[in-house]
Amino acid sequence: MNENDITVNLAPGSKIDLVDFENLTFGNVFTDHMLICDYKNGVWEKPVIKPYEPFLIDPSAKVFHYGQAIFEGMKAYKDENDDVWLFRPDQNYERFNKSATRLAMPEVPEEVFIGGLKKLVEIEKAWVKKGKGNSLYIRPFMIATGPGVLAAPAVFYRFMIILSPAKSYYSGEVKVLIAEHFSRAANGGIGAAKAAGNYSAQFYPTKLANEQGYQQVIWTDDATHTKLEEAGTMNVFFRINDTLYTAPTSERILDGVTRKSLIEVAKREGINVEVRPVLVSELIEAAENGTLQEVFGAGTAAVVNPIVGFSYKEKYYELPKQENSVALFLKEKLNNIQYKLAEDTFGWTVKI
Amino acid sequence: MNENDITVNLAPGSKIDLVDFENLTFGNVFTDHMLICDYKNGVWEKPVIKPYEPFLIDPSAKVFHYGQAIFEGMKAYKDENDDVWLFRPDQNYERFNKSATRLAMPEVPEEVFIGGLKKLVEIEKAWVKKGKGNSLYIRPFMIATGPGVLAAPAVFYRFMIILSPAKSYYSGEVKVLIAEHFSRAANGGIGAAKAAGNYSAQFYPTKLANEQGYQQVIWTDDATHTKLEEAGTMNVFFRINDTLYTAPTSERILDGVTRKSLIEVAKREGINVEVRPVLVSELIEAAENGTLQEVFGAGTAAVVNPIVGFSYKEKYYELPKQENSVALFLKEKLNNIQYKLAEDTFGWTVKI
Ligand SMILES: Cc1ncc(COP(=O)(O)O)c(C=O)c1O
Ligand SMILES: Cc1ncc(COP(=O)(O)O)c(C=O)c1O
C-alpha cells in the first residue's frame, strides 16, 4: 500500500489556534483528523483520514457487551529541524497484533497501522510542538463493531487512530500503594495484552488508593501477592544497592517499550540491570536496611516517573532523596534519543 | 419516578412482521425500541425510549479505551393469559450495581433500571411469544461515554436496554474442555462482575477449544488450575453419587441467578446440594469410578445445559446416559415457574 491507498478528506479548517499548548491536560484535546479502517467479511477496507468527529455505532456492537477492544500508546517528537520522529513504532505494531490475537480479533496490516499513522501524523505535523517535553500522543485502537449479543467474537471490526498533543508536566510527588488484595491480571489471562478490559479493572482499587493519598497502585501477582509486577500504565524498576531490578514480562505483565528501551540504555551506560521477579519482602527489607535507593515507573506517557514512597500493610516507606537519580539520568538519555539530541545508536527513531 | 418520567418516542412502524420467530439465532434480532438514559455531571437524566438505531459516540469514549462496560442478561416470558413476566429482576438489578461499583461506574437508580425495562417490555409485548422455549431476552448495559484517553474513570455514562426475541433451541451435544492453562478471572480481579472485559478474555481460548471439538471451556482457578469454577456464560453443577455440587461464588465467579434458583428448587425437591469448591481431581476420580452422573451448565440463556463429556489433559471422559436426568428435571421445574405453569412458591416472578 502506498499513501494513495488512503482516502483523505481534509477538514475545512483547523481548531489548532484554539488550543493552549502551554496548558494541556493529558488526552483530552484531539487534532483535526482521525484515521478509520473497517474490517468486514474477512477483509480490511481502504483506510480513510477524515475530520475528527463522533461516529455511529450499533447498540449491540460487541465492544460494548464483550469488551473486544485493544489499543496502543506511542508518541511523535519534533526535532530542532522541524522533522517529526516516531520511537520504535515497530514494537507497538507487533504488540498491537499480539493483543489482537489474544482477544480473537483480526491482525491489522502494517500498511494500515504504520502507513496510516505516518500519513496521519504528517497531516497533523503542526500539532507536534518543538522542545523537550512536547509531543504528539498517538492512540491506535481497534473495537468490535459487529452486532449481536451472543457471547462470541464479532465479525466486523474498526481500527482507528486519534492524536492528542501532550506536554510532560510535573505530576507532583508520586506515592504508591502495594496491592495486597486487588489484582489487575490472572495467570492465563489477558494482562499482557493492551486490552481495554484490563484498565477498568484497576479503576476502583486505584480510587480506594487515591482516597488514602496514593496516586498509583503497584500490582502484585494475584495468586500470592508476593511478587511486584507493574503499575496501572507503567512497568516498575527498583534500584537496590546500585542494581536496577525489574520483573520479567509474562502473561500478566505488559511488555513495555519504555521498559525494554531503558534496560538497553542502562546496560550501555554500564548500569547493572537484573530482570527477575522482585519480591515485596525484598523491597521491604531493602527499604528497612537502607539499600533501597529508587523506585520508578516506566511508560510512554512520562518516560520515567520517580516514586517518593510506598505503603504496604498500612506502613509507609519513604524513599531517600537521590543526588544522582538513575531514574532521571535514564530519562534524560532516552529523551535525548527521542528528540534527536543525541545519537540514536540503537536505530530506534523513525522519521515521518 | 412513575412512567411519565420516561420520554417515549414510538417508531412509525414495526419490523416484527419481517421476523421469523421459528428460526431465531440468539441475540441478532432486536425489537423496535430501545431505552437510553445518560449520566452527566453526577446526575442521571430522564430516560428516553426511542426507535432502535445506531447512536453517535466520540472516538475517545472511555468504553473503547479502558473497557468501562457492564451488562445484565434476563428474560421476559408470556403465560397462557398473555401476561408477561420477569424472573427475579431484583437480582439482576442488584448485580448490575455491584458490577458498576467494581468498575468505578455510577449506580443506576431502580426507577431507571426496573422502571425502564418494565415500560420498554410493555411497549414490546408483541415480541414476547407464548409457549415454552419462547422468551424475550433483555440486555441492560452501561458504557462510559465520557471522552479522553487518560486512564481514569469517565465522567459521562450511558445506560441502555435493548431487547431480542429468543427461542430455546437444541444446541447439540455439548462437550467441554477443562482449562489447564488459560483463565477468565484473577483473585482480586473483576470475575464476579458482569464486565465486558471478562468475556473477550475467553474468546481466544474458547476458539482453541472449538478447534479441538469442544463447544465450551470450564474454567479453573487461575492460581492452581485445580478447582472447577464456571463456564463462559454459565455456572456449573456436578452430580456425583446423587449429590449436586457447585462451587461457591467468589470474586472470580459470577453469582448466577439461575444457579442460586436451581439450588433452592433442588433443595425444595429433596435433592442433596452441596455448595463447596469442587476439585478437578474429584471429578476425574468420580468419572473413573463410575459415581459421576451428570455435569451441567446453568444460566439465563438455556436455563440448564447438559454436558455429554469433558476433556482434561488430553483425555476424554464420556458421561453416562441418564434415564432420570436431574438437570432436565430441574430445568422443567424452573421453566414451569418462569412460564407460570406451576405455582411460584418462592415469589420470584414479577408481572409487567
Ligand atoms: C499496563 C501497562 N504497563 C506498562 C506500560 C508501559 O508501556 P510502554 O512503555 O510501551 O508505554 C503501559 C503502557 O502505557 C501499560 O498500559
Ligand atoms: C460468566 C457467567 N457465569 C454465569 C452466568 C449465569 O448467570 P445467570 O444465571 O444470572 O444468567 C452468566 C450469565 O449469563 C455469566 O456471564
Side-chain angles (χ1 to χ4, degrees):
Chain A
M1 186 173 92
N2 62 51
E3 63 175 57
N4 297 329
D5 294 325
I6 300 177
T7 303
V8 178
N9 300 322
L10 293 182
S14 175
K15 57 193 176 208
I16 194 167
D17 290 338
L18 304 173
V19 176
D20 176 359
F21 282 86
E22 288 311 307
N23 295 292
L24 294 166
T25 306
F26 183 79
N28 69 357
V29 168
F30 296 92
T31 66
D32 296 316
H33 303 90
M34 62 184 179
L35 179 137
I36 295 187
C37 187
D38 285 326
Y39 178 88
K40 283 188 186 142
N41 306 318
V43 181
W44 285 101
E45 299 186 342
K46 190 171 171 177
V48 179
I49 289 174
K50 54 173 283 191
Y52 183 100
E53 64 186 1
F55 62 98
L56 282 169
I57 186 166
D58 196 85
S60 77
K62 300 227 181 192
V63 59
F64 297 139
H65 302 271
Y66 302 120
Q68 276 187 299
I70 58 169
F71 68 97
E72 270 302 328
M74 50 209 290
K75 282 181 171 177
Y77 307 88
K78 195 172 257 179
D79 71 12
E80 287 307 308
N81 308 319
D82 281 328
D83 285 326
V84 176
W85 299 83
L86 299 173
F87 182 72
R88 307 187 78 177
D90 55 315
Q91 298 297 312
N92 295 281
Y93 172 60
E94 246 182 54
R95 190 168 68 185
F96 190 75
N97 278 341
K98 274 190 198 159
S99 299
T101 300
R102 183 61 184 84
L103 270 83
M105 301 170 84
E107 290 193 3
V108 173
E110 190 169 342
E111 314 88 76
V112 173
F113 188 101
I114 300 285
L117 82 79
K118 279 186 177 171
K119 180 77 189 157
L120 183 63
V121 172
E122 193 189 298
I123 289 171
E124 304 291 44
K125 241 178 162 162
W127 291 81
V128 199
K129 295 295 173 190
K130 248 196 284 213
K132 241 190 194 174
N134 295 321
S135 65
L136 184 65
Y137 182 79
I138 303 169
R139 170 57 61 93
F141 64 105
M142 175 169 33
I143 56 173
T145 46
V149 295
L150 178 74
V155 177
F156 306 145
Y157 295 87
R158 170 164 283 192
F159 171 73
M160 298 181 78
I161 306 175
I162 55 178
L163 308 173
S164 176
K167 200 172 173 64
S168 80
Y169 56 94
Y170 178 63
S171 54
E173 302 218 314
V174 176
K175 294 178 188 172
V176 299
L177 193 69
I178 312 271
E180 290 164 47
H181 172 75
F182 291 108
S183 314
R184 76 173 281 283
N187 293 300
I190 58 170
K194 238 172 134 66
N198 288 334
Y199 296 82
S200 51
Q202 302 177 64
F203 290 168
Y204 174 70
T206 303
K207 198 168 74 171
L208 296 182
N210 293 164
E211 285 164 12
Q212 292 178 260
Y214 304 99
Q215 287 73 45
Q216 302 255 350
V217 176
I218 294 187
W219 302 102
T220 49
D221 68 296
D222 80 303
T224 67
H225 294 292
T226 58
K227 287 179 218 144
L228 295 157
E229 306 229 302
E230 63 173 320
T233 57
M234 301 189 292
N235 295 102
V236 281
F237 284 82
F238 306 91
R239 183 168 157 240
I240 301 174
N241 243 341
D242 284 329
T243 294
L244 276 185
Y245 297 90
T246 189
T249 56
S250 73
E251 270 182 331
R252 295 188 309 262
I253 301 182
L254 194 82
D255 184 8
V257 179
T258 314
R259 172 188 171 280
K260 68 178 145 199
S261 304
L262 289 179
I263 291 172
E264 291 199 49
V265 171
K267 285 182 174 164
R268 186 192 67 185
E269 299 294 326
I271 295 167
N272 254 350
V273 188
E274 274 191 42
V275 177
R276 65 153 174 83
V278 185
L279 301 177
V280 180
S281 58
E282 288 180 89
L283 179 70
I284 302 296
E285 202 189 307
E288 285 178 345
N289 70 21
T291 53
L292 178 64
Q293 296 157 307
E294 290 179 76
V295 178
F296 59 92
T300 294
V303 181
V304 156
N305 214 326
I307 287 161
V308 301
F310 65 90
S311 173
Y312 180 65
K313 291 208 196 282
E314 316 276 297
K315 192 168 163 192
Y316 180 68
Y317 300 83
E318 179 106 14
L319 285 154
K321 299 260 174 302
Q322 293 299 316
E323 292 260 308
N324 297 302
S325 159
V326 165
L328 297 181
F329 172 78
L330 291 176
K331 177 175 181 168
E332 170 90 12
K333 290 286 172 199
L334 198 58
N335 265 338
N336 286 348
I337 295 173
Q338 291 165 332
Y339 288 94
K340 304 300 283 181
L341 297 169
E343 202 196 332
D344 173 13
T345 56
F346 299 102
W348 285 340
T349 50
V350 175
K351 197 164 159 178
I352 290 282
Chain B
M1 189 173 91
N2 61 51
E3 63 175 59
N4 297 329
D5 294 325
I6 300 178
T7 303
V8 179
N9 300 322
L10 293 182
S14 175
K15 58 194 176 209
I16 195 166
D17 291 338
L18 304 173
V19 176
D20 176 0
F21 282 85
E22 289 310 307
N23 295 293
L24 293 167
T25 305
F26 182 79
N28 69 357
V29 169
F30 295 93
T31 66
D32 296 316
H33 303 89
M34 62 184 180
L35 178 138
I36 295 186
C37 186
D38 285 326
Y39 177 89
K40 282 188 187 143
N41 306 318
V43 181
W44 285 100
E45 299 185 342
K46 190 171 171 177
V48 178
I49 290 175
K50 53 173 286 191
Y52 183 99
E53 64 185 3
F55 62 97
L56 281 169
I57 186 166
D58 196 85
S60 76
K62 299 225 181 192
V63 61
F64 297 140
H65 303 270
Y66 302 118
Q68 275 187 301
I70 59 169
F71 68 98
E72 269 304 325
M74 49 209 291
K75 281 179 171 178
Y77 308 89
K78 194 171 258 178
D79 71 12
E80 288 307 309
N81 307 318
D82 282 329
D83 284 327
V84 176
W85 299 83
L86 300 173
F87 182 72
R88 306 187 78 177
D90 56 314
Q91 298 295 312
N92 295 280
Y93 172 59
E94 245 181 54
R95 190 169 66 184
F96 191 76
N97 278 342
K98 273 190 200 161
S99 299
T101 300
R102 184 61 184 83
L103 271 84
M105 301 169 85
E107 290 193 2
V108 173
E110 189 168 344
E111 316 87 75
V112 174
F113 189 101
I114 300 283
L117 81 81
K118 281 186 175 170
K119 180 78 189 157
L120 183 64
V121 172
E122 194 188 298
I123 289 171
E124 304 291 46
K125 240 176 164 164
W127 290 82
V128 200
K129 295 294 173 192
K130 248 195 282 213
K132 241 188 193 176
N134 295 320
S135 64
L136 184 65
Y137 182 78
I138 303 170
R139 171 57 58 97
F141 65 104
M142 174 168 34
I143 56 173
T145 47
V149 295
L150 178 73
V155 177
F156 306 145
Y157 295 88
R158 170 164 283 193
F159 171 74
M160 298 182 77
I161 307 175
I162 56 179
L163 308 174
S164 176
K167 200 172 173 61
S168 79
Y169 57 94
Y170 178 63
S171 54
E173 302 216 315
V174 176
K175 294 177 188 172
V176 298
L177 193 71
I178 311 271
E180 291 164 47
H181 172 75
F182 290 109
S183 315
R184 76 173 283 283
N187 293 299
I190 58 171
K194 237 173 136 64
N198 288 333
Y199 296 82
S200 50
Q202 303 177 65
F203 290 168
Y204 174 71
T206 303
K207 198 168 75 173
L208 297 181
N210 293 164
E211 285 163 13
Q212 292 178 258
Y214 304 98
Q215 287 72 46
Q216 300 256 350
V217 176
I218 293 187
W219 303 103
T220 49
D221 68 295
D222 79 303
T224 67
H225 293 293
T226 58
K227 287 179 218 144
L228 295 156
E229 306 229 301
E230 63 172 320
T233 57
M234 301 188 293
N235 296 101
V236 280
F237 284 82
F238 306 91
R239 183 168 156 240
I240 301 174
N241 243 342
D242 285 329
T243 294
L244 276 184
Y245 296 90
T246 190
T249 56
S250 73
E251 270 183 330
R252 295 188 308 263
I253 302 182
L254 194 82
D255 184 9
V257 179
T258 314
R259 172 188 171 280
K260 68 178 145 199
S261 304
L262 289 178
I263 291 172
E264 292 199 48
V265 171
K267 285 185 174 164
R268 186 191 67 185
E269 300 294 326
I271 295 166
N272 253 350
V273 188
E274 274 191 42
V275 177
R276 65 153 173 83
V278 185
L279 301 178
V280 180
S281 58
E282 287 180 89
L283 179 69
I284 302 296
E285 202 189 307
E288 286 177 344
N289 70 20
T291 54
L292 179 63
Q293 296 157 307
E294 291 180 75
V295 178
F296 58 92
T300 293
V303 180
V304 157
N305 214 326
I307 288 160
V308 301
F310 64 91
S311 174
Y312 180 65
K313 291 209 196 281
E314 314 277 297
K315 192 167 164 193
Y316 180 68
Y317 300 82
E318 179 106 14
L319 285 156
K321 299 257 173 304
Q322 292 299 314
E323 293 259 308
N324 298 302
S325 159
V326 166
L328 297 181
F329 172 79
L330 290 176
K331 177 176 182 165
E332 169 91 11
K333 290 286 171 198
L334 198 59
N335 265 337
N336 286 348
I337 295 173
Q338 291 165 332
Y339 288 94
K340 304 301 283 182
L341 298 168
E343 202 197 332
D344 173 13
T345 56
F346 299 102
W348 285 339
T349 51
V350 175
K351 198 164 158 179
I352 290 281

